[in-house]
Amino acid sequence: MSVPSGVEGFDRVVDGGLPEGRLYVVCGPPGSGKTTFSAQFIAAGATADERCLFISMHESRDDIARDMAGYEFGFDDALDSGRVTFLDAFSSDGQRFFGMPGDRRDTGSITNRITSFVDSRDVDRVVIDSTMLLRYFTDDDDGTMIRFLSALKRTDATTFLISEMTDPRAYADEHYLAHGVVFFHNYMDDGEMRRGVQVVKMRGRDVDTDIHDLRFTPAGLVVDAPETAAR
Amino acid sequence: MSVPSGVEGFDRVVDGGLPEGRLYVVCGPPGSGKTTFSAQFIAAGATADERCLFISMHESRDDIARDMAGYEFGFDDALDSGRVTFLDAFSSDGQRFFGMPGDRRDTGSITNRITSFVDSRDVDRVVIDSTMLLRYFTDDDDGTMIRFLSALKRTDATTFLISEMTDPRAYADEHYLAHGVVFFHNYMDDGEMRRGVQVVKMRGRDVDTDIHDLRFTPAGLVVDAPETAAR
Amino acid sequence: MSVPSGVEGFDRVVDGGLPEGRLYVVCGPPGSGKTTFSAQFIAAGATADERCLFISMHESRDDIARDMAGYEFGFDDALDSGRVTFLDAFSSDGQRFFGMPGDRRDTGSITNRITSFVDSRDVDRVVIDSTMLLRYFTDDDDGTMIRFLSALKRTDATTFLISEMTDPRAYADEHYLAHGVVFFHNYMDDGEMRRGVQVVKMRGRDVDTDIHDLRFTPAGLVVDAPETAAR
Amino acid sequence: MSVPSGVEGFDRVVDGGLPEGRLYVVCGPPGSGKTTFSAQFIAAGATADERCLFISMHESRDDIARDMAGYEFGFDDALDSGRVTFLDAFSSDGQRFFGMPGDRRDTGSITNRITSFVDSRDVDRVVIDSTMLLRYFTDDDDGTMIRFLSALKRTDATTFLISEMTDPRAYADEHYLAHGVVFFHNYMDDGEMRRGVQVVKMRGRDVDTDIHDLRFTPAGLVVDAPETAAR
Amino acid sequence: MSVPSGVEGFDRVVDGGLPEGRLYVVCGPPGSGKTTFSAQFIAAGATADERCLFISMHESRDDIARDMAGYEFGFDDALDSGRVTFLDAFSSDGQRFFGMPGDRRDTGSITNRITSFVDSRDVDRVVIDSTMLLRYFTDDDDGTMIRFLSALKRTDATTFLISEMTDPRAYADEHYLAHGVVFFHNYMDDGEMRRGVQVVKMRGRDVDTDIHDLRFTPAGLVVDAPETAAR
Amino acid sequence: MSVPSGVEGFDRVVDGGLPEGRLYVVCGPPGSGKTTFSAQFIAAGATADERCLFISMHESRDDIARDMAGYEFGFDDALDSGRVTFLDAFSSDGQRFFGMPGDRRDTGSITNRITSFVDSRDVDRVVIDSTMLLRYFTDDDDGTMIRFLSALKRTDATTFLISEMTDPRAYADEHYLAHGVVFFHNYMDDGEMRRGVQVVKMRGRDVDTDIHDLRFTPAGLVVDAPETAAR
């Protein structure tokens, strides 16, 4: 089954929606739209009465509510609906969940806490913003990302894992481990900065891998994909 | 003797099929078709009543079955045929085989378990998805990949080892150690993403080393190689 | 609410001013205008009777006063207004605040000293020049920048953190953690060096991400953004 | 005195043959022809009734015999002639010679074993496939390659040392230490992959350093160098 | 107040001379003119009866005297005037000052020795050739350069610190810490090597940041900047 | 005073010859002519009845004699003249001088042995082939090259230090420390490999920094510099 992304035009790129229960890595440079994309995904879930979890290293609940208040996709309503658990990693709730900053735990315990939460509450949609969480709360080694993603892939939730990249020319383990990879692009075109989105990988589906224009509109992010984009 | 790859058009690129009993490294960026290519290779083996082993770090048996269900090359029938052993490295079977995640073993023991399995059961086709297995389950050093590939090369099976690459401009030890190397390419051509496949190495055979177009079709991956591709 | 930047033309780029109470990373090559930009930001605050804090690794109070004396935006008046606390990290005051050079402290204590100062005195505008402060006064590790920025984001002040970059092609953690990122550019255009400013990220606001010309004038830095720059 | 390489056209590039008793580094990307080139060199030696040693990390005797069986330069006859000692580093003979995999020895002992063998049996031609041998069997440090090549240079044999390269843009110590360096190239030319060979260094001889086309033919590798190639 | 550089044409680039009492980093590839530029700066100081200090890792007093003897800017007279202290880091005087080679001291003590000398003797102009001094005489770490430059900036002297660069595409800490940065360029133009000088940073002054031609003449280095170069 | 280089055309590039008693770094890719250039320099010295020292990591006396036998510049006569001490670092003489391979000494003792030899025997010309000597015989650290070159610069000999480079785009400490730097180039020009030589640095002399064609001729290397090359 397919899950609607909540982003106008995007579902056409992935041939009707995101395969359910899978793990998607969302990556791109700073300011490229990764968080807004994820917020629309959560809002669409809450609207459909699904259970949602949003874990953030970057935003408090108040900050993200304020950031998304300018858009009409109803993120505020989602937060108030009782369907969305928002976990700010630096709040006191967050610290109970992940440990005190600087008091590093092993990947296993953080992974277990997230997957137990997801499994025990039948969470449908998860956003984790971002992989920086692993570098901050665990003693990061070669196996950390492998272990973390492999566990997330085994839950029943449809999960977005936001991934920062320092070197845009290289691939990372999470790109290989995820079921799907969505890149957000900022690129110069004729002296002007343009935005784009590209699905470079989607297991089990022959998706459209071209770069499509992405616009911020009052309704949130909109992808300019033709009706017949997916091949 | 040559082994049919199960991918339409590909055998023309390698002059009639893959030399039997050899080790092939299959590499490319995320989403380039490495896993589908390997699944077609296994399906072709099961159809020909050969014994097959598919080891995966990336997919559960259910996930890969679902991913390949959209294609008509019969991967589901292969899984059900009794000819294919599918080993999910993160399942409880996988953990008995490779050890608990985080409980690192030496390369020798993992190598022995795989080669013993292959030798004792006369396995004909092996897929290992992917080299990330070594980084995860062993204390990876300079000799790990050398030892692992050298042992795999000595079995009688025809083996695909999927290799992730972070820096597409560099060669790795596995490219030098394998009998053959197949690259999957995603490249921009006139503003559009195109797929290609290229055999950069095939010991003992003068293969066609050009990049050939690769398409996802209902029948699975298809290579657009002319009838006279191999020189 | 929006905070005027104090830089002519810049507020048009960010759709009317900087969202209040947020953390902005200001980065660019040596000599690109980061410090002058920050001084104008502080002068605008002092003029509006706001409380300001300027922490510098790079300049003594006398040096920066002399540097800005050639401009008419009134930095000297700001320093004399009693509204601005200028903390030179290498002065005796600075050493009491941050510790003796070479006598490294943990990030936590430096972060606490800054945020306590900001919170207890209701500081409205903060400039930290620069992230080199962390490398110098703390035992820098992966978590240092994450911890430092996360704490700064939680104060009520509008904060500029100046960030040096050694490799202009890579992104750094602070670009992902900040609410906004402003890049200063020096680029060759037809054999001549030109200056530009670009807002690559501004959470919760669809800013103009083009590069706009930047000029040093007697009034300080001026951005050549059209009246309708923000979209 | 000059030694015929056994590769049609190549001796014209090096002004009549390879200076005798010297060490040549043969490098290039995977699948570029390094092993076939070396096999022709050994076959030419056996035909001329010279004593030959072929040490391989990559191939068993059976594998290389099968690989070369498609060519008419007589490698099989060479192996059967009694003039060629083939040492497979992973065979039981190989392990007696180099030690068990993982049971690392110092460079000195491996170097001594090879040079003693060469000296005591008056070996005329040596192929070592490849420098990976050092990384695998010794604790590789800065001095390993220097020590190994310096010892090989002092034997009377004409030696080919195959060298893998990960970064094609950089030079390695072995390129500076060898008497000669032969590069194999795979390059795109007008949308097609072409092969080439280039002698970048040959002490004591002013060789032709251009890239010459290289073809796989039934007779083995053939270099398209004009009769007057060497200057 | 402004200090004349002693280099014809250069003062026009920096709007009338170098701001007094500040620290300038002078960098560029080998042979680009950094030392000659610095020697002219010292000669101009001695002529104006200022006290000068020239610290060199690279030249003995005799060597530099001989090198500059071919120019007419009077470096020999400067050395003989009694106004210039020349300290050769490898002479016995240098070793008393900096310690024996190999007998590494901490940055603090070397920094103190230089700043005490400058302060106690009211030195007006300092040249330090080069930052290699820190790598050689101290246990170089992240804080070394920060500590050293911050101390030099606090003296009353106008200081040139020559900085070698290995990667011309990257910025270094000293470029951010200095009051000004002067780059010397060697670049190919139409098949010919040309020299240029560029002021990329000058705190408190809106300098001309274009690259200007630089020539070696009998009078020493001459910058081809128009009379109206500074804007 | 100037020393003739022994290479036809080269002295015109450096305005009449190499300044005497100085240290020159000679660098370039493998096979670019560094050793032949150095051999001509030694032959010119022996002809002029000067005392010469040639230290080699790369060649035995016999090998280099044979390599240079094809040229008419008289290297063999030089070796036989009694004016040239040839020290092969891997011969038994070399091992007495530098220590057994693997038996690493500190830079100081190797430096002292070379400079004592040069000073006590009034050596006029020295060639050290190459900096690999330091990496092999000493525990190489940041200070090794600085210490070694600084000591060599203080002898009265005119010295060539051959330097290998792995990354042709970066500068190394020895380029900054030497009195002069000579680069040998191999470059593709219209599909053909060409040779060139370029003096990028020569303290105290305004040399011609263009790339000049370099040819191997029966007389040895010849530089195609016009009579009026030096400016």
Side-chain angles (χ1 to χ4, degrees):
Chain A
M1 270 211 14
S2 279
V3 174
S5 65
V7 177
E8 194 190 319
F10 184 77
D11 293 354
R12 286 200 297 274
V13 178
V14 290
D15 203 12
L18 294 155
E20 195 180 6
R22 303 218 143 186
L23 174 71
Y24 302 99
V25 162
V26 172
C27 53
S32 58
K34 300 180 300 294
T35 298
T36 305
F37 184 81
S38 301
Q40 290 179 248
F41 172 70
I42 290 296
T47 301
D49 221 31
E50 297 173 4
R51 286 196 190 85
C52 303
L53 171 65
F54 197 120
I55 298 176
S56 179
M57 284 285 291
H58 291 89
E59 300 264 22
S60 66
R61 191 189 154 107
D62 284 0
D63 268 8
I64 195 166
R66 216 176 317 139
D67 288 350
M68 299 303 148
Y71 303 112
E72 300 153 5
F73 60 78
F75 190 70
D76 217 31
D77 293 346
L79 285 181
D80 292 344
S81 69
R83 310 298 295 166
V84 178
T85 303
F86 185 92
L87 190 59
D88 168 0
F90 287 99
S91 66
S92 48
D93 279 3
Q95 294 187 5
R96 262 192 303 278
F97 202 88
F98 293 112
M100 290 295 294
D103 162 35
R104 305 209 153 199
R105 303 193 172 176
D106 63 285
T107 336
S109 78
I110 285 180
T111 303
N112 284 343
R113 284 175 166 252
I114 296 177
T115 56
S116 304
F117 187 100
V118 168
D119 289 343
S120 67
R121 310 206 182 183
D122 278 332
V123 174
D124 300 292
R125 296 186 181 216
V126 177
V127 167
I128 298 173
D129 184 5
S130 67
T131 52
M132 207 184 271
L133 200 77
L134 293 184
R135 277 198 291 130
Y136 187 60
F137 286 106
T138 71
D139 288 308
D140 190 32
D141 68 29
D142 237 26
T144 299
M145 189 65 81
I146 298 177
R147 214 153 20 228
F148 186 66
L149 269 84
S150 298
L152 287 176
K153 284 163 70 177
R154 267 145 231 278
T155 71
D156 290 331
T158 307
T159 301
F160 280 14
L161 175 64
I162 297 183
S163 163
E164 282 100 5
M165 52 185 190
T166 52
D167 182 349
R169 297 157 301 179
Y171 296 106
D173 281 357
E174 58 261 38
H175 302 149
Y176 289 104
L177 285 161
H179 294 110
V181 177
V182 182
F183 267 93
F184 286 80
H185 296 274
N186 281 351
Y187 59 102
M188 297 304 292
D189 176 48
D190 216 351
E192 204 177 307
M193 182 66 89
R194 295 184 61 175
R195 297 173 185 286
V197 66
Q198 179 182 32
V199 177
V200 300
K201 174 181 175 180
M202 188 71 63
R203 282 193 182 260
R205 194 161 291 191
D206 178 23
V207 292
D208 173 6
T209 53
D210 292 345
I211 300 180
H212 293 280
D213 280 351
L214 184 74
R215 286 175 298 118
F216 278 96
T217 75
L221 286 168
V222 169
V223 178
D224 288 335
E227 291 297 326
T228 58
R231 294 167 300 185
Chain B
M1 269 211 15
S2 280
V3 175
S5 64
V7 177
E8 193 190 320
F10 184 78
D11 293 353
R12 286 199 296 276
V13 178
V14 290
D15 203 13
L18 294 155
E20 195 180 6
R22 304 218 143 186
L23 174 72
Y24 301 99
V25 162
V26 172
C27 53
S32 57
K34 300 181 299 294
T35 298
T36 305
F37 184 82
S38 301
Q40 290 179 248
F41 172 71
I42 290 295
T47 301
D49 221 32
E50 297 173 3
R51 287 196 190 84
C52 304
L53 171 65
F54 198 121
I55 298 176
S56 179
M57 285 284 291
H58 291 89
E59 301 263 23
S60 66
R61 190 189 155 108
D62 284 359
D63 269 8
I64 196 166
R66 217 177 316 139
D67 287 351
M68 299 303 148
Y71 303 112
E72 300 153 4
F73 60 78
F75 189 70
D76 217 31
D77 294 346
L79 285 181
D80 292 344
S81 68
R83 310 297 296 165
V84 178
T85 303
F86 184 92
L87 189 60
D88 169 0
F90 288 98
S91 66
S92 48
D93 280 3
Q95 294 187 6
R96 261 192 304 279
F97 202 88
F98 293 112
M100 291 294 293
D103 163 36
R104 306 209 152 200
R105 302 195 173 175
D106 63 285
T107 336
S109 77
I110 285 181
T111 302
N112 284 342
R113 284 174 167 255
I114 296 177
T115 56
S116 303
F117 187 99
V118 169
D119 289 343
S120 66
R121 310 206 183 184
D122 277 334
V123 174
D124 300 293
R125 297 186 182 216
V126 178
V127 167
I128 298 173
D129 185 5
S130 66
T131 53
M132 207 183 272
L133 200 78
L134 293 185
R135 277 199 290 130
Y136 187 60
F137 285 105
T138 71
D139 289 307
D140 189 32
D141 68 29
D142 237 26
T144 300
M145 188 64 81
I146 298 177
R147 213 151 24 226
F148 187 65
L149 269 85
S150 297
L152 287 176
K153 284 162 72 177
R154 268 146 230 278
T155 71
D156 290 332
T158 307
T159 302
F160 280 14
L161 174 64
I162 297 184
S163 163
E164 281 99 5
M165 54 184 187
T166 52
D167 182 349
R169 298 158 300 179
Y171 296 106
D173 281 357
E174 58 262 37
H175 301 150
Y176 288 105
L177 285 161
H179 293 110
V181 177
V182 182
F183 267 93
F184 286 80
H185 296 274
N186 281 351
Y187 59 101
M188 298 303 293
D189 176 48
D190 216 352
E192 204 177 307
M193 182 67 90
R194 296 184 60 176
R195 297 173 185 287
V197 67
Q198 179 182 30
V199 177
V200 300
K201 174 180 175 181
M202 189 69 66
R203 282 192 182 261
R205 193 162 292 191
D206 177 24
V207 292
D208 172 6
T209 53
D210 292 344
I211 300 180
H212 293 280
D213 279 352
L214 184 75
R215 286 176 299 117
F216 278 96
T217 74
L221 285 168
V222 169
V223 178
D224 288 336
E227 291 297 327
T228 58
R231 295 166 299 185
Chain C
M1 272 213 11
S2 281
V3 174
S5 65
V7 176
E8 195 190 318
F10 184 76
D11 293 353
R12 286 199 297 273
V13 177
V14 290
D15 203 12
L18 293 157
E20 195 181 5
R22 303 217 142 187
L23 175 70
Y24 302 99
V25 162
V26 172
C27 53
S32 57
K34 300 180 300 294
T35 298
T36 305
F37 184 81
S38 301
Q40 290 179 248
F41 172 70
I42 290 296
T47 300
D49 221 31
E50 296 173 5
R51 287 197 189 84
C52 303
L53 172 65
F54 197 121
I55 298 175
S56 179
M57 284 285 290
H58 291 88
E59 300 264 22
S60 65
R61 190 188 154 108
D62 284 359
D63 269 7
I64 196 166
R66 216 177 316 140
D67 287 350
M68 298 303 149
Y71 301 113
E72 300 152 5
F73 59 78
F75 190 69
D76 217 31
D77 294 345
L79 284 181
D80 292 343
S81 69
R83 311 297 296 166
V84 178
T85 303
F86 185 92
L87 191 59
D88 168 0
F90 287 99
S91 66
S92 48
D93 280 2
Q95 294 187 6
R96 262 191 302 280
F97 201 88
F98 293 112
M100 290 295 292
D103 162 35
R104 304 208 154 200
R105 303 193 172 177
D106 63 284
T107 336
S109 78
I110 285 180
T111 302
N112 284 343
R113 285 177 166 252
I114 296 176
T115 56
S116 303
F117 187 99
V118 168
D119 289 343
S120 66
R121 310 207 181 183
D122 277 333
V123 174
D124 300 291
R125 298 186 180 215
V126 177
V127 167
I128 298 173
D129 185 6
S130 67
T131 52
M132 208 183 271
L133 200 77
L134 293 184
R135 277 198 290 130
Y136 186 60
F137 286 106
T138 72
D139 288 309
D140 190 32
D141 68 30
D142 237 27
T144 300
M145 188 65 81
I146 299 178
R147 215 154 18 230
F148 186 66
L149 268 84
S150 298
L152 287 177
K153 284 163 71 178
R154 269 147 229 278
T155 71
D156 290 332
T158 307
T159 301
F160 280 15
L161 175 64
I162 297 184
S163 164
E164 281 99 6
M165 51 186 192
T166 52
D167 182 347
R169 297 157 301 179
Y171 296 106
D173 281 357
E174 58 261 38
H175 302 149
Y176 288 104
L177 285 160
H179 294 109
V181 177
V182 182
F183 268 92
F184 286 80
H185 296 274
N186 281 351
Y187 59 102
M188 296 304 291
D189 177 49
D190 217 353
E192 204 177 307
M193 182 65 90
R194 293 184 61 176
R195 297 172 185 285
V197 66
Q198 179 182 31
V199 177
V200 300
K201 175 180 175 181
M202 187 71 62
R203 283 194 182 258
R205 195 162 289 192
D206 178 24
V207 291
D208 172 6
T209 53
D210 293 344
I211 300 180
H212 293 280
D213 280 352
L214 184 75
R215 288 175 296 119
F216 278 96
T217 74
L221 286 168
V222 169
V223 179
D224 287 335
E227 291 297 326
T228 58
R231 295 166 298 185
Chain D
M1 269 211 17
S2 280
V3 174
S5 65
V7 177
E8 192 190 321
F10 183 78
D11 293 354
R12 285 199 297 275
V13 177
V14 290
D15 202 14
L18 294 156
E20 195 180 7
R22 304 217 143 186
L23 174 71
Y24 301 99
V25 162
V26 172
C27 53
S32 57
K34 301 181 299 294
T35 298
T36 306
F37 185 82
S38 301
Q40 290 179 247
F41 172 72
I42 290 295
T47 302
D49 221 31
E50 297 173 2
R51 287 196 190 84
C52 304
L53 171 65
F54 197 122
I55 299 176
S56 179
M57 284 285 291
H58 292 87
E59 302 264 23
S60 66
R61 189 190 157 106
D62 284 359
D63 270 8
I64 196 165
R66 217 177 315 139
D67 288 351
M68 299 304 148
Y71 302 112
E72 300 152 5
F73 60 79
F75 189 71
D76 218 31
D77 293 346
L79 285 181
D80 293 343
S81 69
R83 311 296 296 166
V84 178
T85 304
F86 184 91
L87 190 59
D88 169 0
F90 288 98
S91 66
S92 48
D93 280 3
Q95 293 186 6
R96 260 192 305 279
F97 201 87
F98 293 112
M100 291 294 293
D103 162 36
R104 305 208 154 199
R105 303 195 172 174
D106 63 284
T107 335
S109 78
I110 286 181
T111 303
N112 285 342
R113 282 173 168 256
I114 297 176
T115 55
S116 303
F117 187 99
V118 169
D119 289 342
S120 66
R121 309 206 183 183
D122 277 333
V123 174
D124 300 292
R125 297 186 181 215
V126 178
V127 167
I128 299 174
D129 185 4
S130 67
T131 53
M132 207 183 273
L133 199 78
L134 293 185
R135 278 198 289 131
Y136 188 60
F137 284 107
T138 71
D139 289 308
D140 189 31
D141 68 30
D142 238 26
T144 300
M145 189 64 81
I146 298 177
R147 213 152 21 227
F148 187 65
L149 269 84
S150 297
L152 287 176
K153 285 162 71 176
R154 268 147 230 277
T155 70
D156 289 332
T158 307
T159 302
F160 279 13
L161 175 63
I162 297 184
S163 163
E164 282 99 6
M165 55 184 189
T166 53
D167 182 349
R169 297 158 301 180
Y171 295 106
D173 281 357
E174 57 262 38
H175 302 149
Y176 288 104
L177 285 160
H179 293 109
V181 177
V182 182
F183 267 92
F184 286 80
H185 296 274
N186 281 351
Y187 59 101
M188 297 303 293
D189 177 49
D190 217 352
E192 203 177 307
M193 183 66 89
R194 296 183 61 178
R195 298 173 186 286
V197 67
Q198 179 182 31
V199 177
V200 301
K201 174 179 174 181
M202 189 68 68
R203 284 193 182 259
R205 193 162 292 190
D206 178 25
V207 291
D208 173 5
T209 54
D210 293 344
I211 300 180
H212 293 279
D213 279 352
L214 185 74
R215 286 176 298 119
F216 277 96
T217 74
L221 286 168
V222 169
V223 178
D224 287 336
E227 291 296 327
T228 58
R231 293 167 298 188
Chain E
M1 272 214 11
S2 281
V3 175
S5 65
V7 176
E8 193 190 319
F10 184 77
D11 293 353
R12 285 199 297 275
V13 177
V14 290
D15 202 13
L18 293 157
E20 194 180 7
R22 304 216 141 188
L23 175 70
Y24 302 99
V25 162
V26 172
C27 53
S32 57
K34 301 181 300 294
T35 298
T36 306
F37 184 80
S38 301
Q40 290 179 248
F41 172 70
I42 290 295
T47 301
D49 220 31
E50 296 173 5
R51 287 196 188 84
C52 303
L53 172 65
F54 197 121
I55 299 175
S56 178
M57 284 285 290
H58 292 87
E59 301 265 23
S60 66
R61 189 188 156 109
D62 284 359
D63 269 6
I64 196 167
R66 217 178 314 140
D67 287 350
M68 299 303 148
Y71 302 113
E72 300 152 4
F73 58 78
F75 189 70
D76 218 31
D77 294 345
L79 285 181
D80 293 344
S81 69
R83 311 297 297 166
V84 178
T85 304
F86 186 90
L87 190 59
D88 168 359
F90 287 99
S91 66
S92 48
D93 279 1
Q95 294 187 4
R96 261 192 302 278
F97 201 87
F98 293 112
M100 290 295 292
D103 162 35
R104 302 209 155 201
R105 303 194 172 174
D106 63 284
T107 336
S109 78
I110 285 180
T111 303
N112 284 343
R113 283 175 169 256
I114 297 176
T115 56
S116 303
F117 187 99
V118 168
D119 290 342
S120 67
R121 310 208 181 181
D122 277 332
V123 174
D124 300 292
R125 298 186 180 216
V126 177
V127 167
I128 299 173
D129 185 6
S130 67
T131 53
M132 207 183 271
L133 199 77
L134 293 184
R135 277 199 290 131
Y136 187 60
F137 285 106
T138 71
D139 287 309
D140 190 31
D141 68 30
D142 237 27
T144 300
M145 189 64 82
I146 299 178
R147 214 152 21 228
F148 186 65
L149 268 84
S150 297
L152 287 177
K153 283 163 72 177
R154 268 146 231 279
T155 70
D156 290 331
T158 307
T159 302
F160 280 15
L161 175 64
I162 297 184
S163 164
E164 280 99 5
M165 52 187 190
T166 52
D167 182 347
R169 298 157 302 178
Y171 295 106
D173 282 357
E174 58 262 38
H175 301 149
Y176 288 105
L177 285 159
H179 293 109
V181 177
V182 181
F183 267 92
F184 286 81
H185 296 274
N186 281 351
Y187 58 102
M188 297 303 292
D189 177 49
D190 216 353
E192 202 177 308
M193 183 65 90
R194 294 183 61 176
R195 296 172 187 284
V197 67
Q198 179 182 32
V199 178
V200 300
K201 174 181 175 180
M202 188 69 65
R203 283 194 182 259
R205 193 162 290 190
D206 178 24
V207 292
D208 173 6
T209 53
D210 293 343
I211 301 180
H212 293 281
D213 280 352
L214 185 74
R215 288 175 295 119
F216 278 96
T217 73
L221 286 168
V222 169
V223 178
D224 287 335
E227 290 296 327
T228 57
R231 294 166 300 186
Chain F
M1 271 215 11
S2 282
V3 175
S5 65
V7 177
E8 192 190 320
F10 184 77
D11 293 353
R12 285 199 298 275
V13 178
V14 290
D15 202 13
L18 293 157
E20 194 180 7
R22 304 216 142 187
L23 175 71
Y24 301 99
V25 162
V26 172
C27 53
S32 57
K34 301 180 300 295
T35 298
T36 306
F37 185 81
S38 300
Q40 291 179 248
F41 171 71
I42 290 295
T47 302
D49 220 31
E50 296 174 3
R51 287 196 188 84
C52 304
L53 171 65
F54 197 121
I55 299 176
S56 179
M57 284 285 291
H58 292 88
E59 302 264 23
S60 66
R61 189 188 156 107
D62 284 359
D63 269 7
I64 196 166
R66 216 177 316 138
D67 287 351
M68 298 304 147
Y71 302 112
E72 300 151 4
F73 58 79
F75 189 70
D76 218 31
D77 293 345
L79 285 180
D80 294 344
S81 69
R83 310 296 297 166
V84 179
T85 304
F86 185 91
L87 189 59
D88 168 359
F90 288 98
S91 66
S92 48
D93 280 1
Q95 293 187 6
R96 261 192 303 278
F97 201 87
F98 293 112
M100 291 295 293
D103 162 35
R104 304 209 155 198
R105 304 194 172 176
D106 63 283
T107 336
S109 77
I110 286 180
T111 303
N112 284 342
R113 282 173 170 258
I114 297 176
T115 55
S116 303
F117 187 99
V118 169
D119 289 342
S120 66
R121 309 206 182 184
D122 277 333
V123 174
D124 299 293
R125 298 185 181 217
V126 177
V127 167
I128 299 173
D129 185 5
S130 67
T131 53
M132 207 182 271
L133 199 78
L134 293 185
R135 278 198 290 131
Y136 187 60
F137 285 106
T138 71
D139 287 309
D140 190 31
D141 68 30
D142 237 27
T144 300
M145 189 64 82
I146 298 177
R147 213 152 23 227
F148 186 65
L149 269 83
S150 297
L152 288 176
K153 285 162 72 176
R154 268 148 230 277
T155 70
D156 289 331
T158 306
T159 302
F160 279 14
L161 175 64
I162 297 183
S163 163
E164 280 100 5
M165 54 185 189
T166 52
D167 182 347
R169 296 158 302 179
Y171 295 107
D173 282 356
E174 57 262 38
H175 302 149
Y176 288 105
L177 285 160
H179 294 108
V181 177
V182 181
F183 268 92
F184 286 80
H185 297 274
N186 280 351
Y187 59 102
M188 298 302 293
D189 177 49
D190 217 353
E192 203 177 305
M193 183 66 90
R194 295 183 61 176
R195 297 173 186 285
V197 67
Q198 179 183 32
V199 177
V200 301
K201 174 180 174 180
M202 189 69 66
R203 284 195 182 258
R205 193 162 292 190
D206 178 25
V207 291
D208 173 5
T209 54
D210 293 344
I211 300 179
H212 293 280
D213 279 352
L214 185 74
R215 287 176 296 121
F216 278 95
T217 73
L221 285 168
V222 169
V223 179
D224 287 335
E227 291 295 328
T228 58
R231 293 167 299 189

